[in-house]
Amino acid sequence: MILRSSKIISISLLVMFLASCAGDKIDLYSQSTAIKGTGGTYKVGKPYQIGGKWYYPEEDYNYVETGTASWYGKDFHSKYTANGEIYDMNTLTAAHRTLPLPSIVRVTNLENGRSLVLRVNDRGPFAKNRIIDVSKRASQLLGFHTQGTTKVKVEILAEESKALKAALTGQSTSKYTSANNQSSGKIITAPKPQISSYNNYATTASSKDVYYVQAGSFSNMNMAENLKNQLQRYGQIKITPADVNGSTFYRVRVGPFTEQAAADTALSKIHNAGLTDAKLITE
């Protein structure tokens, strides 16, 4: 994800390295590749029949299921998904039979413990009682690309999915803001909510605020430490643990800054380095 490889280690390479270690948990929650999409619309859809079996799409924000995952690749690459996006087998997406499109889910490979956050933007799979089809890239990171299938646990990320729906449909996002921002301070710089920045809602800063640039958030402490090491040139770095919906995330922050102008400068430099999901927060 970081483009200046001569100075800063690429996040993508870091993820690939961690993926090669059996049992490591990879959680790409903070990476826009898991939630970014263009050209698509929000839809739930009507009941439909495939191969004599009926499927009933619904907004089920309590969805958790264990079963078999498969992956799909070049035969569908660059074709339209069920909600009108363009399928890219090299991004972190998935197909599901009944969840709203798009939704955000966490998929955990129960055979090796690896975990990814994916954007569901397509329908399927419809063969052999499989519960989810992931992209080729997701299957590689989850460690089952070669074998073809694996046993997984799929769970919807409710607040993230609701906020994504709000960003696409223009609904109010106020009821999602507190859940997305818990334990993270107040987010003070954000454009009008977009698909790729659904958790960057604006609040007002006071004159006594201290500013930080949050560069990333990981469920894996080693990933947070690696990012911290690559950001030393931008100022003081700290890792802040936070509990979000019962899971611990390690937030990598640059700062503190007493002036917003200085924080804005650091944010701009970090964006230019390739961390486009970095955001300014205040405490």
Side-chain angles (χ1 to χ4, degrees):
M1 186 172 177
I2 300 178
L3 302 180
R4 299 178 181 178
S5 58
S6 61
K7 297 181 180 179
I8 304 175
I9 296 176
S10 165
I11 290 297
S12 297
L13 292 177
L14 174 60
V15 170
M16 291 173 65
F17 170 77
L18 289 173
S20 68
C21 304
D24 283 337
K25 183 177 182 181
I26 307 166
D27 197 324
L28 303 187
Y29 177 87
S30 68
Q31 295 197 22
S32 62
T33 50
I35 59 174
K36 187 186 297 181
T38 57
T41 59
Y42 180 84
K43 63 180 295 184
V44 177
K46 298 179 180 180
Y48 63 97
Q49 187 180 39
I50 300 289
K53 183 175 180 179
W54 281 93
Y55 299 93
Y56 300 88
E58 62 177 333
E59 291 183 334
D60 181 3
Y61 294 115
N62 295 311
Y63 171 83
V64 180
E65 187 175 8
T66 298
T68 301
S70 51
W71 65 272
Y72 64 130
K74 64 180 181 180
D75 289 344
F76 299 88
H77 186 69
S78 297
K79 296 182 179 180
Y80 285 105
T81 67
N83 74 326
E85 297 178 23
I86 301 297
Y87 174 61
D88 184 344
M89 66 181 181
N90 298 309
T91 57
L92 301 179
T93 60
H96 192 275
R97 297 164 296 179
T98 59
L99 287 177
L101 305 178
S103 297
I104 306 299
V105 299
R106 177 177 287 112
V107 180
T108 302
N109 186 343
L110 298 178
E111 294 183 6
N112 61 22
R114 297 178 189 175
S115 176
L116 282 178
V117 170
L118 305 176
R119 174 190 178 89
V120 176
N121 65 356
D122 208 355
R123 287 288 178 231
F126 304 109
K128 300 179 181 179
N129 295 318
R130 296 168 185 172
I131 65 171
I132 195 166
D133 244 353
V134 305
S135 65
K136 176 182 176 181
R137 185 63 183 135
S139 72
Q140 292 170 335
L141 292 176
L142 285 169
F144 74 93
H145 175 257
T146 302
Q147 70 193 58
T149 62
T150 191
K151 186 176 181 180
V152 297
K153 177 182 178 181
V154 181
E155 50 192 326
I156 193 169
L157 299 183
E159 298 304 326
E160 290 82 353
S161 296
K162 291 175 183 178
L164 183 55
K165 173 187 175 181
L168 282 168
T169 62
Q171 295 180 358
S172 172
T173 60
S174 59
K175 64 180 179 179
Y176 307 131
T177 305
S178 60
N180 288 334
N181 294 345
Q182 60 177 302
S183 304
S184 66
K186 297 172 290 180
I187 300 173
I188 64 172
T189 58
K192 183 178 179 180
Q194 299 175 349
I195 300 172
S196 61
S197 57
Y198 63 87
N199 59 344
N200 292 348
Y201 304 114
T203 58
T204 304
S206 71
S207 60
K208 296 181 181 181
D209 286 327
V210 175
Y211 303 91
Y212 292 89
V213 175
Q214 183 164 304
S217 179
F218 305 92
S219 64
N220 185 299
M221 183 62 173
N222 290 333
M223 292 182 70
E225 288 284 359
N226 274 280
L227 180 57
K228 175 184 176 181
N229 293 336
Q230 308 313 314
L231 293 174
Q232 298 294 338
R233 61 183 296 189
Y234 299 108
Q236 182 179 343
I237 315 295
K238 71 175 185 176
I239 297 176
T240 304
D243 181 80
V244 179
N245 297 328
S247 298
T248 299
F249 288 88
Y250 300 95
R251 289 165 171 159
V252 183
R253 295 178 172 182
V254 182
F257 300 94
T258 56
E259 299 293 334
Q260 184 173 349
D264 285 336
T265 299
L267 178 65
S268 178
K269 290 179 179 178
I270 292 171
H271 279 172
N272 290 337
L275 285 173
T276 55
D277 286 344
K279 58 193 176 187
L280 192 63
I281 65 172
T282 185
E283 293 183 344

